């Protein structure tokens, strides 16, 4: 299966893998994109067979599912009952898939693939930024080498 970010680009759907939170307009834009493309998002989640994270493509799928899990807090802010139900249903589908991936698998993937994650080609998907949030959250499990080698990553050099 093609990576989620490539599919979104091909379909010309604007949707970020980063969750901006309740107080950011970007979150509402993403919800609108989901509502406008509800069948695509439902089908993509149903077809997602994520059992582990062994590639960047699977990591992107994980982040895609994670965003919908985080979207759950937005449901009360949606005005239309029909739209609330659509988002709720999609979030529930995503959570079922997301719950199969434990924190340990995420930590292992970051530890083994941080250089690829921080490569310039993934900056446009905000992958380094999202991953830094996960590194902070799971810092106890992140290898020392990841922290020591941040200066070798293009993303960090640019700051």
């Amino acid at each position: 299966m093609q990576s989620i970010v490539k599919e979104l680009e091909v379909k010309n759907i604007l949707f970020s893998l980063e969750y901006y939170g309740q107080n950011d307009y970007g979150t509402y834009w993403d919800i609108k994109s989901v509502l406008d493309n509800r069948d695509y998002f439902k089908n993509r989640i149903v077809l997602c067979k994520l059992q582990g994270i062994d590639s960047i493509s699977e990591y992107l799928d994980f982040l895609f599912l994670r965003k919908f899990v985080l979207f759950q807090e937005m449901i009360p802010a949606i005005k239309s009952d029909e739209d609330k139900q659509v988002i709720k249903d999609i979030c529930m589908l995503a959570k079922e898939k997301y719950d199969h991936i434990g924190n340990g698998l995420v930590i292992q993937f970051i530890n083994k693939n941080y250089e690829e994650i921080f490569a310039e080609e993934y900056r446009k998907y905000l992958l380094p930024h999202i991953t830094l949030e996960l590194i902070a959250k799971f810092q106890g499990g992140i290898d020392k080498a990841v922290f020591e080698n941040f200066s070798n990553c293009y993303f960090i050099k640019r700051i």
Side-chain angles (χ1 to χ4, degrees), residues 18 117-118 122-123 126-134 155:
E18 182 171 19
I117 292 168
F118 284 86
Y122 296 112
R123 288 179 53 217
L126 302 173
L127 205 55
H129 186 265
I130 298 166
T131 301
L132 281 173
E133 290 175 10
L134 292 171
F155 177 75

Side-chain angles (χ1 to χ4, degrees), residues 16-68:
S16 169
L17 294 178
E18 182 171 19
Y19 178 65
Y20 301 106
Q22 290 178 318
N23 298 322
D24 194 290
Y25 183 72
T27 300
Y28 293 93
W29 180 262
D30 285 340
I31 287 174
K32 182 183 180 328
S33 289
V34 172
L35 292 170
D36 290 347
N37 301 281
R38 60 189 73 192
D39 291 336
Y40 165 75
F41 282 97
K42 279 184 185 178
N43 290 334
R44 183 58 164 87
I45 291 169
V46 167
L47 293 174
C48 182
K49 305 292 185 207
L50 201 60
Q51 297 297 316
I53 306 175
D54 298 314
S55 67
I56 286 288
S57 182
E58 289 178 341
Y59 184 57
L60 293 168
D61 282 345
F62 167 78
L63 296 175
F64 175 73
L65 295 173
R66 176 181 177 264
K67 181 159 181 172
F68 282 100

Side-chain angles (χ1 to χ4, degrees), residues 64-83:
F64 175 73
L65 295 173
R66 176 181 177 264
K67 181 159 181 172
F68 282 100
V69 170
L70 296 171
F71 262 168
Q72 292 179 67
E73 74 176 4
M74 296 302 299
I75 294 170
I78 299 170
K79 293 180 181 176
S80 160
D81 288 338
E82 179 185 342
D83 291 347

